[in-house]
Amino acid sequence: MNVTSKARLKIKNKTIELPVVEGSEEQFGLDISRLKADGGCTTYDNGFANTSSCMSSITYVDGEKGICRHRGYDIVDLAENCMFVEVAYLLVHGQLPTAQELNRFSRYLNQHSMIHENMHHFFSGYPADSHPMGILASMVTSLSSFYPLLSHKDPNFDITAARLISKVRTIAAFSYKKSQGEPVVYPRHDLSYCANFLNMMFSSPVACYDINPDIVTLLNKLLILHVDHGQNCSATAVRLVASARANLYASISAGICALWGPLHGGANQAVIEMLNKIKNDGRNIHKYIQKAKDKKDDFRLMGFGHAVYKNYDPRARVCKRLCDEFLPKLGIVDPLLDIALELERIALEDEFFISRKLYPNVDFYTGILYRAIGIPTNMLTVMFALGRLPGWIAQWNEGVESSTKIYRPRQIYIGPKKRAFIPIDKRKKERAHRNIH
Ligand code: CMC
């Protein structure tokens, strides 16, 4: 930890000094870990929006400039030049793989792609309309029963990471097949990571899936664009659960649950639902812009705004470009794309969105791209999870390796002060006395 200077803080009559820590990209933070002991108080930071909960060398995000780098590499360069498996390796190991390392990692992905046959029964127990994110979270927790030995102490974390990345892909495809009432399609050793997933999703005993290299390329890029994003809600959930020394599966499962929320990764599903609603409501875009601005209306423009980016999300910029490039290539004309483009144009000219620095985020265009691949709307957040998995694994590993303290935020208590106990037969009268019904 690099302490560059000290800040002086006066609390009531006491002055205390707080070390100022510096990161590698000129980010500064006040180390307040002794604030309670030395100054008698804690900080209050709703949603931890201004709190750095850890030191991390995985992802750097500059929200003002719209920069996102993984292990020092720009996300745009990675999406342009890499396969998803290479980027997964980068996240987990800290450097891009050599050809030999990539071969080994890919071999592990193949070797560990099947799930235990007994797990197949689990899928049948869910109602047909179950959300695949719920199934995914449960299945990942269940892996701990079938592969209990996995831990970061495994001398070969490569295998642990590859096993999880590979099996989660299989689980995702199986949950889709089960929801369709179709037999599952097993992974194949001769296919690349993305081609394998597409084949498991769309092939059937009666019809082979013709693997389109353009779709494979697009899927690779989409997964890379989701690979990590610093201490967001799901990564924090992973690290929080890991801080109690819970196992990898339990921690990742917590991340999946956090991601499911519509303010986080669930936004990609919500965007498509919103665009469909606008389409079916006479394409009345202005009405929905007005709703988003109306403080009395709960409606928000899904896929817009970001807790960190106060500029165009670089991932959204790539996705918008991918729509231009790949939809014509795949011969797809999606009416939702026109609505999304028009929605963006109107919002970015509106003072409400300009003054609040609300721009499209990663989820705004990804649903349209996944639709072009053939992914159904309720699987969109599962696709986000597939992409994010290497990031979660890296976050888990970093947290565990750094022997992080157990996450235990404080609170400012605002409940009742100490009061006398009331026996049950006197409570009604006491409430009436206080006018509480
Ligand atoms: N539509 C309309 N108004 C918005 C939106 C939106 N999408 N986002 C923020 N605002 C307004 C909000 O009402 C508030 O206005 P005011 O200052 O007048 O009260 C102001 O902008 C700041 O909002 P906030 O909720 O304090 O901002 P935040 O940084 O805490 O929230 C966010 C970030 C992503 C939760 C929020 O922008 C949002 O709800 N967006 C829609 C959901 C979404 O697209 N989520 C995906 C996020 S990116 C990928 C990911 O994390 O998985």
Side-chain angles (χ1 to χ4, degrees):
M1 186 156 68
N2 192 10
V3 178
T4 49
S5 56
K6 296 211 164 155
R8 216 164 269 140
L9 181 66
K10 199 163 175 214
I11 309 165
K12 298 196 171 160
N13 293 329
K14 209 170 179 185
T15 300
I16 59 166
E17 287 196 326
L18 300 171
V20 178
V21 295
E22 188 182 347
S24 53
E25 292 277 0
E26 291 182 21
Q27 284 174 312
F28 297 95
L30 286 183
D31 177 352
I32 52 124
S33 48
R34 291 211 44 87
L35 188 58
K36 181 92 170 81
D38 297 345
C41 69
T42 61
T43 54
Y44 172 63
D45 183 16
N46 188 355
F48 312 135
N50 203 34
T51 293
S52 302
S53 60
C54 61
M55 300 276 170
S56 180
S57 57
I58 304 169
T59 294
Y60 170 66
V61 178
D62 183 329
E64 304 301 325
K65 295 191 185 135
I67 291 173
C68 172
R69 292 187 207 126
H70 301 304
R71 307 282 194 190
Y73 297 105
D74 197 287
I75 181 89
V76 181
D77 285 343
L78 293 173
E80 193 59 44
N81 298 302
C82 286
M83 306 270 286
F84 173 63
V85 173
E86 278 177 274
V87 180
Y89 187 98
L90 169 72
L91 267 284
V92 174
H93 293 279
Q95 48 193 353
L96 285 166
T98 61
Q100 207 181 10
E101 287 164 340
L102 184 62
N103 266 339
R104 195 183 58 222
F105 196 59
S106 303
R107 206 172 56 244
Y108 292 153
L109 285 171
N110 264 336
Q111 280 167 0
H112 299 282
S113 57
M114 292 213 286
I115 54 170
H116 196 289
E117 281 294 305
N118 286 354
M119 283 188 78
H120 288 221
H121 305 306
F122 299 173
F123 290 100
S124 321
Y126 289 97
D129 58 354
S130 302
H131 197 286
M133 282 297 275
I135 299 178
L136 187 67
S138 315
M139 288 290 172
V140 169
T141 311
S142 303
L143 285 172
S144 60
S145 308
F146 291 90
Y147 308 95
L149 294 179
L150 291 196
S151 90
H152 73 291
K153 299 213 170 67
D154 189 326
N156 205 340
F157 191 68
D158 235 16
I159 297 183
T160 304
R163 198 182 249 163
L164 193 54
I165 291 169
S166 196
K167 288 192 194 310
V168 167
R169 170 192 55 178
T170 306
I171 291 169
F174 280 18
S175 67
Y176 170 65
K177 280 295 189 194
K178 288 287 180 183
S179 74
Q180 298 299 295
E182 287 182 21
V184 299
V185 176
Y186 282 79
R188 275 174 35 189
H189 281 195
D190 58 321
L191 295 179
S192 70
Y193 181 89
C194 287
N196 222 333
F197 174 72
L198 292 165
N199 191 60
M200 283 193 275
M201 284 284 290
F202 302 123
S203 177
S204 86
V206 291
C208 282
Y209 174 70
D210 190 12
I211 298 168
N212 178 337
D214 284 334
I215 291 187
V216 174
T217 305
L218 177 57
L219 181 56
N220 259 297
K221 289 183 191 300
L222 281 167
L223 294 181
I224 291 170
L225 290 170
H226 288 88
V227 79
D228 193 59
H229 212 241
Q231 302 313 308
N232 52 70
C233 185
S234 58
T236 301
V238 169
R239 287 180 88 123
L240 181 141
V241 174
S243 79
R245 307 299 184 259
N247 67 55
L248 176 64
Y249 306 110
S251 308
I252 299 286
S253 182
I256 293 170
C257 291
L259 188 77
W260 193 358
L263 295 191
H264 191 9
N268 59 9
Q269 175 175 341
V271 168
I272 295 299
E273 288 164 353
M274 172 186 79
L275 295 175
N276 266 318
K277 203 164 169 192
I278 297 175
K279 179 171 137 260
N280 298 332
D281 194 7
R283 226 179 169 275
N284 192 346
I285 295 175
H286 285 282
K287 173 177 161 188
Y288 286 86
I289 294 277
Q290 273 317 114
K291 274 167 76 60
K293 289 159 55 172
D294 182 353
K295 290 286 162 201
K296 287 187 226 98
D297 193 324
D298 281 346
F299 177 78
R300 280 191 164 200
L301 216 52
M302 299 313 285
F304 251 76
H306 197 278
V308 179
Y309 289 122
K310 301 303 164 199
N311 201 325
Y312 213 110
D313 182 335
R315 303 166 300 173
R317 205 184 287 286
V318 176
C319 287
K320 192 175 176 184
R321 226 171 33 229
L322 292 176
C323 286
D324 287 344
E325 186 185 342
F326 280 87
L327 265 58
K329 245 188 210 176
L330 300 174
I332 286 172
V333 179
D334 188 342
L336 298 193
L337 176 60
D338 290 340
I339 296 174
L341 289 168
E342 186 64 358
L343 198 57
E344 176 190 329
R345 190 190 62 75
I346 296 171
L348 294 189
E349 285 173 1
D350 191 303
E351 187 47 33
F352 178 94
F353 295 91
I354 295 170
S355 61
R356 289 170 181 75
K357 301 185 176 173
L358 302 172
Y359 294 88
N361 60 50
V362 68
D363 294 315
F364 196 63
Y365 287 107
T366 49
I368 290 170
L369 290 163
Y370 278 126
R371 272 159 66 88
I373 292 177
I375 307 289
T377 306
N378 73 346
M379 281 288 288
L380 292 178
T381 314
V382 171
M383 301 308 297
F384 194 145
L386 278 190
R388 185 53 57 89
L389 187 56
W392 287 332
I393 295 172
Q395 298 284 351
W396 183 85
N397 200 30
E398 191 177 68
V400 172
E401 288 283 305
S402 61
S403 302
T404 187
K405 278 166 77 77
I406 188 164
Y407 277 32
R408 198 351 183 145
R410 300 287 184 133
Q411 60 179 13
I412 308 287
Y413 175 72
I414 54 168
K417 291 200 178 214
K418 187 173 188 319
R419 48 183 168 168
F421 175 76
I422 305 162
I424 196 161
D425 55 328
K426 306 238 163 66
R427 284 175 203 162
K428 210 166 163 194
K429 205 167 151 198
E430 191 270 345
R431 279 197 207 168
H433 184 65
R434 287 194 291 131
N435 252 338
I436 298 174
H437 302 286

PDB file of all heavy atoms in Angstrom, residues 6-32:
ATOM      1  N   LYS A   6      -0.702  12.639   4.391  1.00  0.00           N
ATOM      2  CA  LYS A   6      -1.732  12.451   5.421  1.00  0.00           C
ATOM      3  C   LYS A   6      -2.733  13.593   5.355  1.00  0.00           C
ATOM      4  O   LYS A   6      -2.352  14.735   5.064  1.00  0.00           O
ATOM      5  CB  LYS A   6      -1.075  12.411   6.806  1.00  0.00           C
ATOM      6  CG  LYS A   6      -0.154  11.212   6.954  1.00  0.00           C
ATOM      7  CD  LYS A   6      -0.097  10.712   8.363  1.00  0.00           C
ATOM      8  CE  LYS A   6       0.509   9.320   8.347  1.00  0.00           C
ATOM      9  NZ  LYS A   6       1.135   8.946   9.585  1.00  0.00           N
ATOM     10  N   ALA A   7      -3.999  13.257   5.584  1.00  0.00           N
ATOM     11  CA  ALA A   7      -5.025  14.300   5.629  1.00  0.00           C
ATOM     12  C   ALA A   7      -5.366  14.532   7.092  1.00  0.00           C
ATOM     13  O   ALA A   7      -5.319  13.595   7.889  1.00  0.00           O
ATOM     14  CB  ALA A   7      -6.248  13.834   4.861  1.00  0.00           C
ATOM     15  N   ARG A   8      -5.667  15.787   7.420  1.00  0.00           N
ATOM     16  CA  ARG A   8      -5.995  16.093   8.817  1.00  0.00           C
ATOM     17  C   ARG A   8      -7.518  16.307   8.921  1.00  0.00           C
ATOM     18  O   ARG A   8      -8.095  17.020   8.108  1.00  0.00           O
ATOM     19  CB  ARG A   8      -5.256  17.363   9.230  1.00  0.00           C
ATOM     20  CG  ARG A   8      -4.805  17.290  10.659  1.00  0.00           C
ATOM     21  CD  ARG A   8      -3.760  18.297  11.023  1.00  0.00           C
ATOM     22  NE  ARG A   8      -2.416  17.788  10.837  1.00  0.00           N
ATOM     23  CZ  ARG A   8      -1.424  18.488  10.344  1.00  0.00           C
ATOM     24  NH1 ARG A   8      -1.616  19.733   9.964  1.00  0.00           N
ATOM     25  NH2 ARG A   8      -0.228  17.964  10.224  1.00  0.00           N
ATOM     26  N   LEU A   9      -8.114  15.659   9.901  1.00  0.00           N
ATOM     27  CA  LEU A   9      -9.568  15.751  10.058  1.00  0.00           C
ATOM     28  C   LEU A   9      -9.890  16.205  11.474  1.00  0.00           C
ATOM     29  O   LEU A   9      -9.392  15.611  12.445  1.00  0.00           O
ATOM     30  CB  LEU A   9     -10.191  14.369   9.795  1.00  0.00           C
ATOM     31  CG  LEU A   9     -11.696  14.256   9.883  1.00  0.00           C
ATOM     32  CD1 LEU A   9     -12.382  15.053   8.777  1.00  0.00           C
ATOM     33  CD2 LEU A   9     -12.114  12.783   9.774  1.00  0.00           C
ATOM     34  N   LYS A  10     -10.734  17.256  11.575  1.00  0.00           N
ATOM     35  CA  LYS A  10     -11.109  17.728  12.909  1.00  0.00           C
ATOM     36  C   LYS A  10     -12.511  17.230  13.221  1.00  0.00           C
ATOM     37  O   LYS A  10     -13.455  17.516  12.481  1.00  0.00           O
ATOM     38  CB  LYS A  10     -11.054  19.257  12.930  1.00  0.00           C
ATOM     39  CG  LYS A  10     -10.983  19.808  14.298  1.00  0.00           C
ATOM     40  CD  LYS A  10     -10.522  21.237  14.324  1.00  0.00           C
ATOM     41  CE  LYS A  10     -10.610  21.730  15.757  1.00  0.00           C
ATOM     42  NZ  LYS A  10     -10.966  23.112  15.875  1.00  0.00           N
ATOM     43  N   ILE A  11     -12.634  16.445  14.275  1.00  0.00           N
ATOM     44  CA  ILE A  11     -13.949  15.951  14.698  1.00  0.00           C
ATOM     45  C   ILE A  11     -14.172  16.436  16.120  1.00  0.00           C
ATOM     46  O   ILE A  11     -13.419  16.075  17.030  1.00  0.00           O
ATOM     47  CB  ILE A  11     -14.010  14.409  14.702  1.00  0.00           C
ATOM     48  CG1 ILE A  11     -13.519  13.854  13.376  1.00  0.00           C
ATOM     49  CG2 ILE A  11     -15.411  13.917  14.991  1.00  0.00           C
ATOM     50  CD1 ILE A  11     -13.209  12.390  13.418  1.00  0.00           C
ATOM     51  N   LYS A  12     -15.196  17.256  16.287  1.00  0.00           N
ATOM     52  CA  LYS A  12     -15.417  17.920  17.579  1.00  0.00           C
ATOM     53  C   LYS A  12     -14.112  18.595  18.001  1.00  0.00           C
ATOM     54  O   LYS A  12     -13.579  19.416  17.264  1.00  0.00           O
ATOM     55  CB  LYS A  12     -15.971  16.930  18.596  1.00  0.00           C
ATOM     56  CG  LYS A  12     -17.339  16.400  18.121  1.00  0.00           C
ATOM     57  CD  LYS A  12     -18.148  15.734  19.175  1.00  0.00           C
ATOM     58  CE  LYS A  12     -19.528  15.467  18.610  1.00  0.00           C
ATOM     59  NZ  LYS A  12     -20.257  14.466  19.312  1.00  0.00           N
ATOM     60  N   ASN A  13     -13.522  18.185  19.138  1.00  0.00           N
ATOM     61  CA  ASN A  13     -12.315  18.916  19.563  1.00  0.00           C
ATOM     62  C   ASN A  13     -11.030  18.172  19.232  1.00  0.00           C
ATOM     63  O   ASN A  13      -9.957  18.574  19.673  1.00  0.00           O
ATOM     64  CB  ASN A  13     -12.359  19.150  21.086  1.00  0.00           C
ATOM     65  CG  ASN A  13     -13.481  20.096  21.415  1.00  0.00           C
ATOM     66  OD1 ASN A  13     -13.802  20.964  20.603  1.00  0.00           O
ATOM     67  ND2 ASN A  13     -14.104  19.908  22.565  1.00  0.00           N
ATOM     68  N   LYS A  14     -11.189  17.106  18.480  1.00  0.00           N
ATOM     69  CA  LYS A  14     -10.030  16.246  18.266  1.00  0.00           C
ATOM     70  C   LYS A  14      -9.547  16.350  16.820  1.00  0.00           C
ATOM     71  O   LYS A  14     -10.372  16.398  15.893  1.00  0.00           O
ATOM     72  CB  LYS A  14     -10.491  14.805  18.541  1.00  0.00           C
ATOM     73  CG  LYS A  14      -9.435  13.891  19.029  1.00  0.00           C
ATOM     74  CD  LYS A  14     -10.138  12.611  19.471  1.00  0.00           C
ATOM     75  CE  LYS A  14      -9.138  11.610  19.955  1.00  0.00           C
ATOM     76  NZ  LYS A  14      -9.791  10.345  20.266  1.00  0.00           N
ATOM     77  N   THR A  15      -8.246  16.386  16.623  1.00  0.00           N
ATOM     78  CA  THR A  15      -7.734  16.362  15.242  1.00  0.00           C
ATOM     79  C   THR A  15      -6.997  15.039  15.029  1.00  0.00           C
ATOM     80  O   THR A  15      -6.127  14.679  15.841  1.00  0.00           O
ATOM     81  CB  THR A  15      -6.769  17.535  14.991  1.00  0.00           C
ATOM     82  OG1 THR A  15      -7.498  18.745  15.215  1.00  0.00           O
ATOM     83  CG2 THR A  15      -6.254  17.521  13.557  1.00  0.00           C
ATOM     84  N   ILE A  16      -7.376  14.351  13.983  1.00  0.00           N
ATOM     85  CA  ILE A  16      -6.675  13.088  13.712  1.00  0.00           C
ATOM     86  C   ILE A  16      -6.096  13.118  12.299  1.00  0.00           C
ATOM     87  O   ILE A  16      -6.536  13.906  11.454  1.00  0.00           O
ATOM     88  CB  ILE A  16      -7.586  11.849  13.876  1.00  0.00           C
ATOM     89  CG1 ILE A  16      -8.783  11.952  12.930  1.00  0.00           C
ATOM     90  CG2 ILE A  16      -8.038  11.673  15.301  1.00  0.00           C
ATOM     91  CD1 ILE A  16      -9.511  10.638  12.787  1.00  0.00           C
ATOM     92  N   GLU A  17      -5.127  12.264  12.086  1.00  0.00           N
ATOM     93  CA  GLU A  17      -4.498  12.208  10.768  1.00  0.00           C
ATOM     94  C   GLU A  17      -4.904  10.925  10.049  1.00  0.00           C
ATOM     95  O   GLU A  17      -4.903   9.847  10.656  1.00  0.00           O
ATOM     96  CB  GLU A  17      -2.977  12.245  10.915  1.00  0.00           C
ATOM     97  CG  GLU A  17      -2.484  13.621  11.296  1.00  0.00           C
ATOM     98  CD  GLU A  17      -0.987  13.764  11.068  1.00  0.00           C
ATOM     99  OE1 GLU A  17      -0.277  12.767  11.251  1.00  0.00           O
ATOM    100  OE2 GLU A  17      -0.559  14.875  10.706  1.00  0.00           O
ATOM    101  N   LEU A  18      -5.258  11.062   8.794  1.00  0.00           N
ATOM    102  CA  LEU A  18      -5.654   9.893   7.997  1.00  0.00           C
ATOM    103  C   LEU A  18      -4.662   9.724   6.849  1.00  0.00           C
ATOM    104  O   LEU A  18      -4.427  10.671   6.085  1.00  0.00           O
ATOM    105  CB  LEU A  18      -7.051  10.105   7.395  1.00  0.00           C
ATOM    106  CG  LEU A  18      -8.194  10.335   8.384  1.00  0.00           C
ATOM    107  CD1 LEU A  18      -9.467  10.739   7.644  1.00  0.00           C
ATOM    108  CD2 LEU A  18      -8.448   9.067   9.191  1.00  0.00           C
ATOM    109  N   PRO A  19      -4.072   8.541   6.716  1.00  0.00           N
ATOM    110  CA  PRO A  19      -3.145   8.327   5.600  1.00  0.00           C
ATOM    111  C   PRO A  19      -3.868   8.443   4.255  1.00  0.00           C
ATOM    112  O   PRO A  19      -5.025   8.018   4.130  1.00  0.00           O
ATOM    113  CB  PRO A  19      -2.655   6.889   5.812  1.00  0.00           C
ATOM    114  CG  PRO A  19      -3.092   6.496   7.178  1.00  0.00           C
ATOM    115  CD  PRO A  19      -4.258   7.349   7.546  1.00  0.00           C
ATOM    116  N   VAL A  20      -3.216   9.040   3.272  1.00  0.00           N
ATOM    117  CA  VAL A  20      -3.773   9.107   1.918  1.00  0.00           C
ATOM    118  C   VAL A  20      -3.061   8.030   1.094  1.00  0.00           C
ATOM    119  O   VAL A  20      -1.838   8.055   0.947  1.00  0.00           O
ATOM    120  CB  VAL A  20      -3.536  10.496   1.284  1.00  0.00           C
ATOM    121  CG1 VAL A  20      -4.088  10.539  -0.148  1.00  0.00           C
ATOM    122  CG2 VAL A  20      -4.193  11.584   2.122  1.00  0.00           C
ATOM    123  N   VAL A  21      -3.824   7.066   0.593  1.00  0.00           N
ATOM    124  CA  VAL A  21      -3.202   5.992  -0.193  1.00  0.00           C
ATOM    125  C   VAL A  21      -3.380   6.289  -1.674  1.00  0.00           C
ATOM    126  O   VAL A  21      -4.355   6.924  -2.089  1.00  0.00           O
ATOM    127  CB  VAL A  21      -3.789   4.599   0.152  1.00  0.00           C
ATOM    128  CG1 VAL A  21      -3.466   4.212   1.574  1.00  0.00           C
ATOM    129  CG2 VAL A  21      -5.288   4.557  -0.070  1.00  0.00           C
ATOM    130  N   GLU A  22      -2.409   5.838  -2.466  1.00  0.00           N
ATOM    131  CA  GLU A  22      -2.451   6.153  -3.893  1.00  0.00           C
ATOM    132  C   GLU A  22      -2.381   4.875  -4.711  1.00  0.00           C
ATOM    133  O   GLU A  22      -1.596   3.965  -4.401  1.00  0.00           O
ATOM    134  CB  GLU A  22      -1.254   7.054  -4.231  1.00  0.00           C
ATOM    135  CG  GLU A  22      -1.328   7.580  -5.655  1.00  0.00           C
ATOM    136  CD  GLU A  22      -0.132   8.444  -6.033  1.00  0.00           C
ATOM    137  OE1 GLU A  22       0.643   8.846  -5.144  1.00  0.00           O
ATOM    138  OE2 GLU A  22       0.021   8.688  -7.247  1.00  0.00           O
ATOM    139  N   GLY A  23      -3.165   4.816  -5.777  1.00  0.00           N
ATOM    140  CA  GLY A  23      -3.119   3.674  -6.686  1.00  0.00           C
ATOM    141  C   GLY A  23      -2.143   3.934  -7.820  1.00  0.00           C
ATOM    142  O   GLY A  23      -1.476   4.976  -7.848  1.00  0.00           O
ATOM    143  N   SER A  24      -2.099   3.013  -8.788  1.00  0.00           N
ATOM    144  CA  SER A  24      -1.129   3.157  -9.873  1.00  0.00           C
ATOM    145  C   SER A  24      -1.612   4.127 -10.957  1.00  0.00           C
ATOM    146  O   SER A  24      -0.881   4.471 -11.866  1.00  0.00           O
ATOM    147  CB  SER A  24      -0.828   1.789 -10.489  1.00  0.00           C
ATOM    148  OG  SER A  24      -2.030   1.165 -10.862  1.00  0.00           O
ATOM    149  N   GLU A  25      -2.899   4.556 -10.895  1.00  0.00           N
ATOM    150  CA  GLU A  25      -3.433   5.463 -11.915  1.00  0.00           C
ATOM    151  C   GLU A  25      -3.868   6.793 -11.300  1.00  0.00           C
ATOM    152  O   GLU A  25      -4.900   7.359 -11.662  1.00  0.00           O
ATOM    153  CB  GLU A  25      -4.627   4.800 -12.632  1.00  0.00           C
ATOM    154  CG  GLU A  25      -4.258   3.614 -13.499  1.00  0.00           C
ATOM    155  CD  GLU A  25      -3.755   4.024 -14.890  1.00  0.00           C
ATOM    156  OE1 GLU A  25      -3.690   5.236 -15.178  1.00  0.00           O
ATOM    157  OE2 GLU A  25      -3.434   3.108 -15.666  1.00  0.00           O
ATOM    158  N   GLU A  26      -3.074   7.247 -10.332  1.00  0.00           N
ATOM    159  CA  GLU A  26      -3.337   8.528  -9.662  1.00  0.00           C
ATOM    160  C   GLU A  26      -4.725   8.620  -9.032  1.00  0.00           C
ATOM    161  O   GLU A  26      -5.389   9.659  -9.092  1.00  0.00           O
ATOM    162  CB  GLU A  26      -3.124   9.688 -10.639  1.00  0.00           C
ATOM    163  CG  GLU A  26      -1.662   9.850 -11.002  1.00  0.00           C
ATOM    164  CD  GLU A  26      -1.423  11.020 -11.938  1.00  0.00           C
ATOM    165  OE1 GLU A  26      -2.269  11.914 -11.998  1.00  0.00           O
ATOM    166  OE2 GLU A  26      -0.372  10.998 -12.588  1.00  0.00           O
ATOM    167  N   GLN A  27      -5.153   7.517  -8.464  1.00  0.00           N
ATOM    168  CA  GLN A  27      -6.391   7.546  -7.684  1.00  0.00           C
ATOM    169  C   GLN A  27      -5.981   7.666  -6.228  1.00  0.00           C
ATOM    170  O   GLN A  27      -5.074   6.935  -5.784  1.00  0.00           O
ATOM    171  CB  GLN A  27      -7.166   6.243  -7.853  1.00  0.00           C
ATOM    172  CG  GLN A  27      -7.895   6.125  -9.170  1.00  0.00           C
ATOM    173  CD  GLN A  27      -8.509   4.740  -9.323  1.00  0.00           C
ATOM    174  OE1 GLN A  27      -7.851   3.729  -9.094  1.00  0.00           O
ATOM    175  NE2 GLN A  27      -9.753   4.693  -9.711  1.00  0.00           N
ATOM    176  N   PHE A  28      -6.646   8.534  -5.493  1.00  0.00           N
ATOM    177  CA  PHE A  28      -6.300   8.715  -4.084  1.00  0.00           C
ATOM    178  C   PHE A  28      -7.462   8.292  -3.204  1.00  0.00           C
ATOM    179  O   PHE A  28      -8.617   8.452  -3.577  1.00  0.00           O
ATOM    180  CB  PHE A  28      -5.959  10.191  -3.805  1.00  0.00           C
ATOM    181  CG  PHE A  28      -4.760  10.665  -4.577  1.00  0.00           C
ATOM    182  CD1 PHE A  28      -4.915  11.315  -5.791  1.00  0.00           C
ATOM    183  CD2 PHE A  28      -3.476  10.419  -4.101  1.00  0.00           C
ATOM    184  CE1 PHE A  28      -3.816  11.728  -6.520  1.00  0.00           C
ATOM    185  CE2 PHE A  28      -2.370  10.825  -4.821  1.00  0.00           C
ATOM    186  CZ  PHE A  28      -2.535  11.481  -6.035  1.00  0.00           C
ATOM    187  N   GLY A  29      -7.130   7.749  -2.052  1.00  0.00           N
ATOM    188  CA  GLY A  29      -8.177   7.358  -1.114  1.00  0.00           C
ATOM    189  C   GLY A  29      -7.735   7.648   0.313  1.00  0.00           C
ATOM    190  O   GLY A  29      -6.555   7.537   0.645  1.00  0.00           O
ATOM    191  N   LEU A  30      -8.701   8.040   1.137  1.00  0.00           N
ATOM    192  CA  LEU A  30      -8.386   8.252   2.554  1.00  0.00           C
ATOM    193  C   LEU A  30      -8.502   6.920   3.272  1.00  0.00           C
ATOM    194  O   LEU A  30      -9.543   6.272   3.187  1.00  0.00           O
ATOM    195  CB  LEU A  30      -9.410   9.194   3.185  1.00  0.00           C
ATOM    196  CG  LEU A  30      -9.336  10.680   2.857  1.00  0.00           C
ATOM    197  CD1 LEU A  30     -10.393  11.425   3.662  1.00  0.00           C
ATOM    198  CD2 LEU A  30      -7.952  11.211   3.202  1.00  0.00           C
ATOM    199  N   ASP A  31      -7.450   6.528   3.953  1.00  0.00           N
ATOM    200  CA  ASP A  31      -7.507   5.278   4.727  1.00  0.00           C
ATOM    201  C   ASP A  31      -8.165   5.603   6.062  1.00  0.00           C
ATOM    202  O   ASP A  31      -7.568   6.230   6.930  1.00  0.00           O
ATOM    203  CB  ASP A  31      -6.078   4.749   4.921  1.00  0.00           C
ATOM    204  CG  ASP A  31      -6.067   3.486   5.772  1.00  0.00           C
ATOM    205  OD1 ASP A  31      -7.126   3.119   6.316  1.00  0.00           O
ATOM    206  OD2 ASP A  31      -4.991   2.879   5.890  1.00  0.00           O
ATOM    207  N   ILE A  32      -9.425   5.164   6.190  1.00  0.00           N
ATOM    208  CA  ILE A  32     -10.173   5.522   7.403  1.00  0.00           C
ATOM    209  C   ILE A  32     -10.259   4.342   8.376  1.00  0.00           C
ATOM    210  O   ILE A  32     -11.098   4.332   9.267  1.00  0.00           O
ATOM    211  CB  ILE A  32     -11.598   6.014   7.056  1.00  0.00           C
ATOM    212  CG1 ILE A  32     -12.323   5.010   6.146  1.00  0.00           C
ATOM    213  CG2 ILE A  32     -11.566   7.370   6.385  1.00  0.00           C
ATOM    214  CD1 ILE A  32     -13.608   4.538   6.668  1.00  0.00           C
TER     215      ILE A  32
END
